Amino acid sequence: MAFTKKTVRDIDVNGKRVLMRVDFNVPVKDGVVGDITRIQKAIPTIKYLKEHGAGIVLMSHLGRPSGTGYEEALSLAPVAKKLEELSGYKVSFVADTYGEEAKAAVEAVKPGDILLLENVRFLKAEKKNDPEVAKKLASYGDIFVLDAFGTAHRAQGSVVGPAAYIPAVAGFLLEKEVDTLTSIFSEPKRPFVAIVGGSKVSSKIGVLDHLIDSCDTLIIGGGMAYTFFLAQGYQVGTSLQEPDWVERAGEMLKKAQEKGVKILLPVDNIVTDHFGEDAVGEAVASNAIPSDRMGMDIGPKTEKLYADAVSGAATVFWNGPMGVFEMDQFAHGTEVVAKAIADSSCTSIIGGGDSVAAINKFGLADKMSWISTGGGASMELVEGKALPGVEALLDA
Ligand code: ADP
Ligand code: MG
């Protein structure tokens, strides 16, 4: 499925004031911006708009404010400075979003100017897509651009609201994310290997179900593997398990078999006696997990099995770590799989907050074809759901 909505390329922005929702929800501590990825990824659209003669009004949320007004720790002021530094453009900032001060700053925006408004979530009504919020924000621009992929799955005022009042189109990041994450269902180069890990079957069932419709091989790792083991009649000791989901896990295995999708489950596991930084692991076969042990990572035979499957792939989609990668002694399986993807010539698409954190931890981000900037939004797309922010845009 190609992108079916209008983008900034399809609309004349010259001399117009463009209101653009970005996702600048980056880590900020004591006024210092940590990971700059999301800011960097918004720059191509900003650059395009500026070079095509638009005045730009940017807005974003940051963190989880209480919604009752200004909170210094969640101000976007440091982000404005960082954007200025990364883009090389002058970026003004106004410490207001919905009031008179914001209105005056917006009215002063001329072609080529860039203004960032304060955190849209300082007002509770934003989250509910209150029409008053939507109308107010829409009054700031002639055109609305949505480039905030990371919040495109939320029907909130600044995400979907302005589209009801002014022409609304996508930015380049949003377009690329949606295009890439839907391409694995429409036209994957084969073999297409999907890898799903993380903690729970319950939170990934929609992802598994939809991936089975498209992939050739589905690799399962992480905590969810143990619920699949239960479905196969294995004992899993004290491993993470969801008894209420055993039946659904069994149905997934059956569906895969009917569709001719190969499912790979761990053949061995690194187990330990308690969940903790000082826990020591040992490898055991999947059908021999002792009753007082919990699985924390895939074992060495499984690492090899999974790395081999990845090396033969033309497309890899990965979501969810293979083990408790936050603890170094249980990060090995995730690292081996990440390296196998990095070393392969496949198209590699990574989604999900913790999976991206794992890849960054191993320093392999540059080796991946696409790393999604949206955790929740990427999962909803992979589940096959439409994103409200995208739905609200003009059809191409
Ligand atoms: P993502 O954010 O990439 O979608 P998830 O949130 O589903 O991934 O899962 C990530 C979490 O899964 C990590 O915190 C990791 O520690 C946990 N996890 C992985 N394997 C296991 C396991 N065997 N037991 C318990 N937790 C696990
Ligand atoms: Mg997560």
Side-chain angles (χ1 to χ4, degrees):
M1 190 178 21
F3 194 68
T4 59
K5 296 293 182 172
K6 284 204 162 106
T7 74
V8 288
R9 278 185 228 96
D10 302 316
I11 198 160
D12 182 12
V13 299
N14 189 21
K16 304 276 172 57
R17 197 179 291 139
V18 171
L19 173 70
M20 176 163 154
R21 176 57 156 100
V22 288
D23 183 1
F24 285 169
N25 184 28
V26 292
V28 177
K29 209 172 171 229
D30 302 326
V32 180
V33 178
D35 186 354
I36 56 168
T37 311
R38 284 180 164 175
I39 304 175
Q40 251 165 342
K41 297 260 186 176
I43 292 176
T45 307
I46 294 170
K47 182 166 188 271
Y48 178 94
L49 292 172
K50 187 176 160 71
E51 286 176 356
H52 286 76
I56 305 161
V57 178
L58 300 170
M59 58 176 175
S60 177
H61 74 286
L62 177 67
R64 297 168 186 267
S66 64
T68 51
Y70 179 78
E71 290 175 48
E72 193 184 352
L74 297 176
S75 169
L76 282 164
V79 176
K81 271 208 204 101
K82 190 49 95 179
L83 174 62
E84 186 161 81
E85 185 188 312
L86 293 170
S87 66
Y89 298 142
K90 175 161 174 26
V91 177
S92 328
F93 174 75
V94 57
D96 181 26
T97 318
Y98 307 99
E100 286 305 313
E101 223 186 308
K103 186 167 179 253
V106 167
E107 278 166 7
V109 169
K110 290 183 293 298
D113 289 352
I114 303 170
L115 170 72
L116 175 62
L117 303 175
E118 185 55 284
N119 195 336
V120 291
R121 285 196 192 160
F122 283 169
L123 183 71
K124 214 181 255 156
E126 140 72 5
K127 277 195 146 186
K128 292 193 226 116
N129 189 18
D130 186 311
E132 289 311 308
V133 169
K135 237 184 270 178
K136 174 100 225 174
L137 294 175
S139 76
Y140 292 165
D142 306 304
I143 293 168
F144 177 59
V145 172
L146 181 68
D147 213 20
F149 176 70
T151 37
H153 60 313
R154 306 255 184 244
Q156 297 174 349
S158 64
V159 179
V160 296
Y165 303 97
I166 53 177
V169 299
F172 298 128
L173 175 63
L174 184 71
E175 178 191 35
K176 173 79 180 170
E177 289 270 17
V178 174
D179 240 354
T180 306
L181 289 162
T182 53
S183 71
I184 59 176
F185 298 102
S186 56
E187 53 205 20
K189 282 180 279 162
R190 298 188 181 278
F192 168 24
V193 176
I195 310 170
V196 182
S199 48
K200 293 179 171 175
V201 176
S202 55
S203 66
K204 297 286 168 78
I205 198 79
V207 169
L208 293 166
D209 195 21
H210 197 215
L211 284 171
I212 289 175
D213 289 336
S214 175
C215 70
D216 301 295
T217 300
L218 176 62
I219 293 180
I220 292 173
M224 72 170 62
Y226 302 100
T227 298
F228 279 92
F229 287 169
L230 290 176
Q232 292 185 313
Y234 292 169
Q235 305 294 312
V236 299
T238 57
S239 304
L240 183 69
Q241 56 200 280
E242 294 178 285
D244 291 347
W245 288 83
V246 173
E247 202 179 320
R248 284 291 274 135
E251 284 165 16
M252 280 300 128
L253 296 175
K254 201 159 151 251
K255 177 178 170 182
Q257 197 177 22
E258 281 163 9
K259 291 206 153 233
V261 172
K262 189 169 173 184
I263 294 228
L264 296 181
L265 279 161
V267 292
D268 60 351
N269 311 270
I270 303 298
V271 300
T272 190
D273 58 354
H274 73 286
F275 192 95
E277 289 292 344
D278 59 343
V280 177
E282 70 177 304
V284 300
S286 295
N287 59 4
I289 299 175
S291 61
D292 60 350
R293 292 287 188 276
M294 62 177 72
M296 301 289 275
D297 196 5
I298 56 175
K301 291 198 180 98
T302 308
E303 286 178 352
K304 171 122 189 15
L305 180 73
Y306 288 6
D308 285 349
V310 165
S311 70
T315 304
V316 170
F317 169 75
W318 182 20
N319 165 254
M322 296 290 100
V324 184
F325 76 100
E326 297 93 337
M327 299 179 195
D328 285 343
Q329 70 276 38
F330 304 117
H332 200 258
T334 304
E335 185 168 13
V336 168
V337 169
K339 280 194 171 135
I341 299 171
D343 289 343
S344 149
S345 56
C346 67
T347 299
S348 49
I349 300 160
I350 320 294
D354 291 291
S355 318
V356 174
I359 283 179
N360 287 330
K361 174 175 165 151
F362 306 134
L364 296 171
D366 293 349
K367 301 253 171 74
M368 306 298 168
S369 312
W370 186 252
I371 297 186
S372 178
T373 56
S378 67
M379 287 306 98
E380 293 204 8
L381 269 187
V382 174
E383 285 174 22
K385 290 188 186 151
L387 307 181
V390 176
E391 292 294 285
L393 303 177
L394 292 172
D395 289 324

